[in-house]
Amino acid sequence: MNNQAIGFIDSGVGGLTVVKEALKQLPNEKIYYLGDTARMPYGPRPSEQVLEFTWEMTSFLLSKGIKMLVIACNTATAAALDDLREKLAIPVIGVIKPGSRAAIKSSKNQRVGVIGTEGTIKSGAYKRTLHEKNPNLFVTSLPCPEFVQIVENDQYESKYAEQVVAETLGFFDDKNIDTLVMGCTHYPLLRPFIQKAVGDKVTLIDSGAETVNDVSTILDYFDIAAKREEETTHEFYTTGSSDDFNEIASGWLGLENINAKTIHLGQGD
Amino acid sequence: MNNQAIGFIDSGVGGLTVVKEALKQLPNEKIYYLGDTARMPYGPRPSEQVLEFTWEMTSFLLSKGIKMLVIACNTATAAALDDLREKLAIPVIGVIKPGSRAAIKSSKNQRVGVIGTEGTIKSGAYKRTLHEKNPNLFVTSLPCPEFVQIVENDQYESKYAEQVVAETLGFFDDKNIDTLVMGCTHYPLLRPFIQKAVGDKVTLIDSGAETVNDVSTILDYFDIAAKREEETTHEFYTTGSSDDFNEIASGWLGLENINAKTIHLGQGD
């Protein structure tokens, strides 16, 4: 039993899709969230830089006191999970393996699509993980560079978003996939448009939501789940505008009083 | 990556319900199974003795070389999980927390039933775990002492089994539960009769099958999942009759060539 917070980090607001699931599945847990909005998107950055930024976010949350770290960002998971796990004494959970596992469970025809940022797709992390688990899987990956920015600009319900998603995902029309991994935690906010674009027969995998199952398992495994009598207060931090963050976060999480605080990391950029 | 086997232990054939799910979800993994059929049922035994027997089973599989241990038995999980986890360097997974988590996710009306052996129910392990995770849950527990023996006698499809199950579970008629935890790995073999007895509106939780999700998460967490080019051979051991074991195991798992070996543990009993 451990009532310390679980830390969630992301390049921006995408990790809130993981938090949303955590609030549902793990109501006893206190959450500290940090979105590096000032330096997003991470997708186009070199992986060394993503690693550096991820360490900066991690240090901040460690200084606040966390019992577990969730890298609620696929780009950062691909770039930094192994290094963080090796060096930290607290459990570190990434989003790529849980998403891969769910995809393998879901696919009947062995043809799986993966969408993500340039960084995530270039790292090959999904393809590698999927093939390790099932060498017969046929995996088609597609970077979707514009999606993150659309979500961060709070345009994820716009006509423009629908158009970009439809055009980008037209790529899968002749790929005959039955499962599509949303390999970026921002993408579930675009879920209705993504589903429409690929059709109802394709199962969408929300790698972030799947990750919460892992968080729950690891909390139990190390016996560090929280036990709480009264309600807890979550804390939200952003390196960008707290007003923008509050607006997206309260809309998406259905919570009032997000009260995000703006903090500064590194040398800026 | 680690191609060693995962060990599964149970008082008898019940743990095969967990193995069945593992074969499906984790086709790369090699399985060593040991059922202590000669000394089952564990349910009525004092917990100190169950702990002792569980250690004997564990030592046998350790000597064969395993990378992870699954206590595929609720009675043994209640009696021995903490002790084994504390003393072994390999990961040890029990069936009670995964089952509890699934029950909490499933229940809408907050009224959950738990069935298990006398040992499991008396330990209070499910009630305690469920309440830790959700203090508002109303939990009704019922020991079902006859079920294990019915399964071990290969009578689990008989008219007699149907009758015993119906009579025993009549207890829940006025309990208004919407979720029932099958808190014994033998019970999924009786699933059709259990479902019929409690009605279609009650969701049955197969704690063993849920456990395989945990196994998968922990394999990934410690990076010890198997990677295999060719098919692997599983190994089955029993302290009882290998013919009886082979018959139930091949029927339930849909595998030929179970070829269980009989081994001896402890002083007999």
Side-chain angles (χ1 to χ4, degrees):
Chain A
M1 205 272 289
N2 181 327
N3 281 344
Q4 279 193 294
I6 302 175
F8 291 78
I9 53 176
D10 180 50
S11 63
V13 296
L16 294 172
T17 62
V18 189
V19 169
K20 188 173 188 168
E21 188 67 24
L23 291 172
K24 206 168 77 183
Q25 278 191 44
L26 303 166
N28 286 343
E29 298 298 335
K30 186 186 186 75
I31 288 165
Y32 289 171
Y33 185 92
L34 170 56
D36 194 6
T37 322
R39 301 191 290 191
M40 71 90 202
Y42 277 15
R45 295 182 183 277
S47 68
E48 299 73 26
Q49 196 178 38
V50 174
L51 177 64
E52 186 190 324
F53 289 2
T54 305
W55 268 114
E56 287 170 4
M57 288 197 284
T58 301
S59 314
F60 174 79
L61 289 185
L62 284 172
S63 75
K64 293 270 155 199
I66 52 171
K67 64 181 174 186
M68 176 190 273
L69 179 71
V70 180
I71 312 180
C73 170
N74 285 266
T75 314
T77 297
L81 174 63
D82 290 346
D83 197 48
L84 284 152
R85 198 169 265 177
E86 195 183 312
K87 286 162 190 166
L88 293 181
I90 58 170
V92 183
I93 313 284
V95 284
I96 292 177
K97 285 195 174 173
S100 302
R101 257 196 325 263
I104 286 173
K105 251 186 165 174
S106 145
S107 180
K108 302 272 178 287
N109 76 355
Q110 311 266 64
R111 298 179 74 89
V112 169
V114 178
I115 53 176
T117 67
E118 305 95 300
T120 301
I121 299 303
K122 211 160 66 183
S123 77
Y126 271 105
K127 211 168 215 168
R128 200 164 48 244
T129 306
L130 287 164
H131 279 152
E132 264 172 29
K133 292 178 184 300
N134 183 350
N136 303 319
L137 215 62
F138 193 81
V139 182
T140 312
S141 305
L142 180 73
C144 304
E146 294 175 84
F147 290 10
V148 166
Q149 200 69 59
I150 287 173
V151 171
E152 292 283 345
N153 292 347
D154 208 359
Q155 295 180 298
Y156 61 90
E157 288 173 319
S158 68
K159 202 72 204 158
Y160 172 70
E162 181 169 10
Q163 219 168 39
V164 171
V165 170
E167 280 166 20
T168 311
L169 300 187
F171 169 80
F172 287 106
D173 284 352
D174 58 354
K175 300 298 184 293
N176 190 29
I177 57 166
D178 70 351
T179 301
L180 179 67
V181 179
M182 297 188 286
C184 171
T185 53
H186 286 76
Y187 296 180
L189 287 103
L190 294 163
R191 182 174 197 136
F193 296 150
I194 295 174
Q195 190 75 66
K196 198 170 164 193
V198 295
D200 279 345
K201 281 180 194 147
V202 174
T203 303
L204 297 185
I205 303 294
D206 180 340
S207 58
E210 296 298 330
T211 299
V212 176
N213 296 326
D214 271 40
V215 170
S216 183
T217 297
I218 298 293
L219 286 173
D220 277 346
Y221 183 80
F222 290 110
D223 204 12
I224 53 172
K227 205 173 152 182
R228 216 170 288 278
E229 264 79 57
E230 63 260 33
E231 242 179 278
T232 183
T233 317
H234 308 300
E235 296 180 18
F236 296 89
Y237 300 91
T238 172
T239 56
S241 148
S242 54
D243 286 348
D244 292 352
F245 187 95
N246 288 337
E247 196 173 324
I248 298 186
S250 59
W252 180 249
L253 299 178
L255 285 181
E256 288 169 30
N257 305 320
I258 296 288
N259 293 327
K261 287 193 187 75
T262 298
I263 61 149
H264 296 282
L265 289 180
Q267 309 302 312
D269 166 274
Chain B
M1 206 270 289
N2 182 328
N3 281 345
Q4 279 192 295
I6 302 175
F8 291 78
I9 52 175
D10 180 49
S11 63
V13 296
L16 294 173
T17 63
V18 190
V19 169
K20 187 172 189 170
E21 187 68 23
L23 291 172
K24 207 169 76 184
Q25 278 192 43
L26 303 166
N28 285 343
E29 298 298 335
K30 185 188 187 74
I31 289 166
Y32 289 171
Y33 184 92
L34 170 56
D36 194 5
T37 322
R39 301 191 290 191
M40 70 91 203
Y42 277 15
R45 295 183 183 275
S47 68
E48 298 74 26
Q49 196 178 38
V50 174
L51 177 63
E52 187 191 324
F53 289 3
T54 305
W55 268 113
E56 286 171 4
M57 288 197 283
T58 301
S59 314
F60 174 79
L61 289 186
L62 284 172
S63 75
K64 293 271 156 199
I66 52 170
K67 64 181 174 186
M68 176 190 274
L69 179 71
V70 180
I71 312 179
C73 170
N74 285 265
T75 314
T77 297
L81 174 63
D82 290 347
D83 197 47
L84 278 118
R85 198 169 264 176
E86 195 184 311
K87 286 161 190 166
L88 293 181
I90 58 170
V92 184
I93 313 285
V95 284
I96 292 178
K97 285 195 173 173
S100 302
R101 257 196 325 264
I104 286 174
K105 250 185 165 175
S106 146
S107 179
K108 302 270 179 288
N109 75 356
Q110 311 266 65
R111 299 179 73 89
V112 170
V114 178
I115 52 177
T117 66
E118 306 94 300
T120 300
I121 300 301
K122 210 159 70 182
S123 77
Y126 271 105
K127 210 168 215 168
R128 200 165 48 245
T129 306
L130 287 164
H131 279 152
E132 264 171 32
K133 292 178 184 301
N134 182 349
N136 303 319
L137 214 63
F138 192 81
V139 182
T140 312
S141 305
L142 180 73
C144 303
E146 293 175 84
F147 290 11
V148 166
Q149 199 70 58
I150 287 172
V151 171
E152 292 283 345
N153 291 348
D154 208 359
Q155 294 180 299
Y156 61 88
E157 288 173 320
S158 68
K159 201 73 204 159
Y160 172 70
E162 180 169 10
Q163 218 168 38
V164 171
V165 169
E167 278 166 21
T168 311
L169 300 187
F171 170 80
F172 287 107
D173 285 352
D174 58 353
K175 300 297 184 293
N176 191 29
I177 56 166
D178 70 352
T179 301
L180 179 67
V181 179
M182 295 187 287
C184 171
T185 54
H186 286 76
Y187 296 0
L189 287 103
L190 295 163
R191 183 174 196 136
F193 295 150
I194 295 174
Q195 190 75 67
K196 198 171 163 192
V198 295
D200 279 347
K201 283 181 193 147
V202 174
T203 304
L204 297 185
I205 303 295
D206 180 339
S207 58
E210 296 297 330
T211 299
V212 176
N213 295 328
D214 270 40
V215 170
S216 183
T217 296
I218 297 293
L219 286 173
D220 277 346
Y221 183 79
F222 290 111
D223 204 12
I224 52 171
K227 205 174 152 182
R228 215 171 287 278
E229 265 77 58
E230 63 260 34
E231 241 180 277
T232 183
T233 319
H234 308 301
E235 297 180 18
F236 296 89
Y237 301 91
T238 172
T239 57
S241 148
S242 55
D243 286 348
D244 292 353
F245 187 95
N246 288 337
E247 197 174 324
I248 298 187
S250 60
W252 179 248
L253 299 178
L255 285 181
E256 288 169 30
N257 304 319
I258 295 287
N259 293 327
K261 287 193 189 76
T262 297
I263 61 149
H264 296 282
L265 289 181
Q267 308 303 312
D269 166 272

